Amino acid sequence: MALTIDVTGKTVVVIGGTSGINRGIAELYAEHGAKVAVASRSQDKVDDTVAALKAHGAESMGFAADVREYDAIVAGLAQVAETFGEIDVLVSGAAGNFPATVNAMSPNAFKSVVDIDLLGTMHVMKAAFPHLRKPGASVINISAPQAFLPMQGQAHVCAAKAGVDMITRTLAMEWGPDGIRVNSVVPGPIEGTEGMARLAPTLEMLSKVAGTVPIGRLGQPGDIGMACMFLGSDLGAYVSGQILAVDGGWSQAGCGDMSSFLGKMLRQMGG
Ligand code: HXC
Ligand code: NAP
């Protein structure tokens, strides 16, 4: 086996792939010759991303759908498979987040994040299964440190992402006999993203976060893309059911106590 990663002609699908980290993953695959499909709610964001992926020379397509709508995901993925063939790498990363304590959020606010992150992941997994290459497909769920570290102002995300990681581990067992690997990637604090804009909204908070990453810097979308490249390739052929933190060591020390950080911010805001 060559110790290189060749994604030429592979079919890669990135759900929630039209901005931030997930778009970075899609762009990395496109730059290296994969056929890349993306999906998210906004048709404008889909069109913009598909144009950017094509500018890298990649065959690319996309569809607008909400991961909460199972039938729309089923239809979109069927269209992708009909056009690009069996899916080699599936990245599921659509998510919603806002900082709010449980006391300051409605039941529907909690539900909206669980519906997008957790139910949405289940929808994507179930709808994609008929189209995954068997054997050989690699499925990657994009999780978050909140899945295993409780954080104030993040009960909805903690609950939802913990569920995502348990779907990952369960499907690694259920789909292993089909030759499908399933893993989660847990990004650390990634620069310039919507997630960090919401959780560290001031420059002071952002530089505080950066200072708590053992490796000494915020992450880039490409850092997460490279981890996906590994998991999606034969170099990761025996890796399944794993929750891989790609965070410069951030979660080892409790994410620099982002929990106290968010708790203080929300109390100051009266939440
Ligand atoms: C309290 C809030 C709120 C807030 C929304 N709600 N924002 N409650 N505090 N700041 C409530 C609303 O009042 C409503 O409840 C319910 O949530 C649903 O809101 P809608 O706007 O109707 O929902 P929807 O249009 O479906 O939008 C979903 C969303 C939105 C999650 C609320 O923010 C979104 O679309 N986000 C996608 C982009 C995103 O979040 N990216 C960051 C991902 S980063 P009521 O009761 O009034 O109906 C990430 C991890 C980062 O996930 C980790 C970093 C370490
Ligand atoms: P982002 O730019 O907001 O990306 C979220 C993507 O999901 C967008 O393409 C969005 O597009 C799509 N999306 C949201 N709700 C959707 C829905 N209901 N149905 C379909 N698509 C939907 O956020 P990000 O910060 O880069 O985060 C990306 C992923 O990394 C998330 O899973 C997040 O939990 C995880 N993460 C991020 C960080 C960080 O530092 N940012 C850290 C840890 C984990 P539309 O608006 O068009 O739908």
Side-chain angles (χ1 to χ4, degrees):
M1 185 188 76
L3 288 179
T4 52
I5 296 174
D6 181 3
V7 299
T8 315
K10 300 269 186 202
T11 296
V12 177
V13 177
V14 186
I15 304 296
T18 63
S19 60
I21 294 171
N22 304 323
R23 176 160 166 167
I25 297 167
E27 294 215 18
L28 191 65
Y29 273 104
E31 279 168 33
H32 289 85
K35 295 180 282 189
V36 183
V38 293
S40 79
R41 292 167 299 180
S42 154
Q43 186 68 55
D44 285 351
K45 284 173 73 175
V46 169
D47 293 344
D48 181 72
T49 305
V50 168
L53 299 176
K54 284 183 173 165
H56 288 299
E59 275 184 71
S60 177
M61 63 184 291
F63 63 93
D66 191 316
V67 291
R68 290 168 286 192
E69 307 288 338
Y70 179 63
D71 291 347
I73 298 297
V74 168
L77 287 172
Q79 185 67 51
V80 169
E82 199 178 308
T83 311
F84 282 172
E86 287 181 310
I87 301 170
D88 296 288
V89 179
L90 171 69
V91 178
S92 177
N97 192 354
F98 48 81
T101 60
V102 168
N103 287 347
M105 75 172 87
S106 68
N108 191 50
F110 188 92
K111 182 177 181 296
S112 65
V113 168
V114 170
D115 281 355
I116 298 168
D117 294 23
L118 180 54
L119 196 61
T121 299
M122 187 273 187
H123 287 165
V124 170
M125 297 295 104
K126 193 169 170 60
F129 181 77
H131 311 297
L132 294 173
R133 190 176 298 287
K134 302 174 194 75
S138 171
V139 175
I140 301 164
N141 288 321
I142 305 299
S143 183
Q146 287 89 328
F148 48 88
L149 286 173
M151 281 186 199
Q152 297 179 62
Q154 291 283 277
H156 44 350
V157 178
C158 292
K161 292 289 195 180
V164 168
D165 286 351
M166 288 309 282
I167 291 178
T168 291
R169 296 172 65 190
T170 305
L171 287 184
M173 293 192 291
E174 291 185 1
W175 291 357
D178 293 299
I180 298 168
R181 297 181 293 109
V182 188
N183 293 287
S184 284
V185 163
V186 176
I190 306 301
E191 194 165 17
T193 57
E194 187 59 33
M196 288 315 291
R198 290 179 184 218
L199 297 192
T202 64
L203 270 180
E204 189 198 348
M205 281 177 84
L206 195 62
S207 79
K208 239 183 197 166
V209 168
T212 62
V213 180
I215 222 164
R217 65 171 175 85
L218 295 170
Q220 299 297 321
D223 291 315
I224 308 307
M226 286 189 287
C228 293
M229 280 276 174
F230 160 70
L231 287 173
S233 77
D234 284 347
L235 298 183
Y238 207 50
V239 183
S240 196
Q242 296 308 301
I243 313 301
L244 176 63
V246 182
D247 66 356
W250 197 45
S251 57
Q252 297 303 316
C255 293
D257 204 7
M258 194 166 209
S259 176
S260 305
F261 224 35
L262 283 170
K264 195 171 156 204
M265 179 182 89
L266 292 167
R267 275 188 292 278
Q268 278 167 357
M269 290 162 60

